[in-house]
Amino acid sequence: MTEIDDYSSRVLDVVDAIPPGQVMSYGDVAEYLGAGGPRQVGRVLARYGGGAPWWRVIHADGTPAPGHDATALEHYLAEGTPLLSREGTARRGVRVNMRQARWHGPGR
DNA sequence: GTGCTGACACAGG
DNA sequence: ACCTGTGCCAGCA
């Protein structure tokens, strides 16, 4: 049994609530919860992200998490997440179109 | 108690 | 678009 802290559980709950094609920045999740900070959210995902769509949680710039940017890209293509990646821009810096994909709680 | 590290955010170059 | 420095919060040796 993997008991999880209340805070971690809440973070995972929010991440799991993010609809496909939408994403939230670490800072947005922290602000949405009204507790901790972006670093804490990142730490939780790094620890318990295995049971939640961590790829839907990215930097404020729209860049996916390090070490798994390739995996995240696969999910974005499968979910239909609006990407800014283009032949013109460096494909190495795969970014998500936050202006479109940014999700703020249910109903938005 | 002190210091370092980390799946970050923001500003400057 | 990329790198560096600084600030913020929490965990760990």
Side-chain angles (χ1 to χ4, degrees), chain A residues 25-42:
Chain A
S25 66
Y26 295 96
D28 282 357
V29 175
E31 196 174 323
Y32 182 78
L33 293 172
R39 307 209 65 126
Q40 271 47 276
V41 176

Side-chain angles (χ1 to χ4, degrees), chain A residues 4-45:
Chain A
I4 310 180
D5 300 86
D6 183 56
Y7 181 73
S8 302
S9 181
R10 194 161 344 179
V11 172
L12 296 173
D13 183 53
V14 175
V15 175
D16 184 56
I18 302 175
Q22 298 290 108
V23 297
M24 277 182 96
S25 66
Y26 295 96
D28 282 357
V29 175
E31 196 174 323
Y32 182 78
L33 293 172
R39 307 209 65 126
Q40 271 47 276
V41 176
R43 194 184 68 78
V44 172
L45 289 173

Side-chain angles (χ1 to χ4, degrees), chain A residues 16-101:
Chain A
D16 184 56
I18 302 175
Q22 298 290 108
V23 297
M24 277 182 96
S25 66
Y26 295 96
D28 282 357
V29 175
E31 196 174 323
Y32 182 78
L33 293 172
R39 307 209 65 126
Q40 271 47 276
V41 176
R43 194 184 68 78
V44 172
L45 289 173
R47 214 168 143 80
Y48 307 102
W54 51 265
W55 54 84
R56 287 178 193 157
V57 184
I58 57 182
H59 293 234
D61 293 340
T63 50
H68 297 285
D69 49 299
T71 308
L73 179 59
E74 295 291 294
H75 285 288
Y76 298 147
L77 297 173
E79 298 292 328
T81 306
L83 300 174
L84 294 171
S85 55
R86 201 173 307 181
E87 284 64 21
T89 58
R91 288 175 295 77
R92 186 172 92 90
V94 178
R95 288 190 309 141
V96 176
N97 189 348
M98 292 297 278
R99 187 173 60 179
Q100 279 267 2

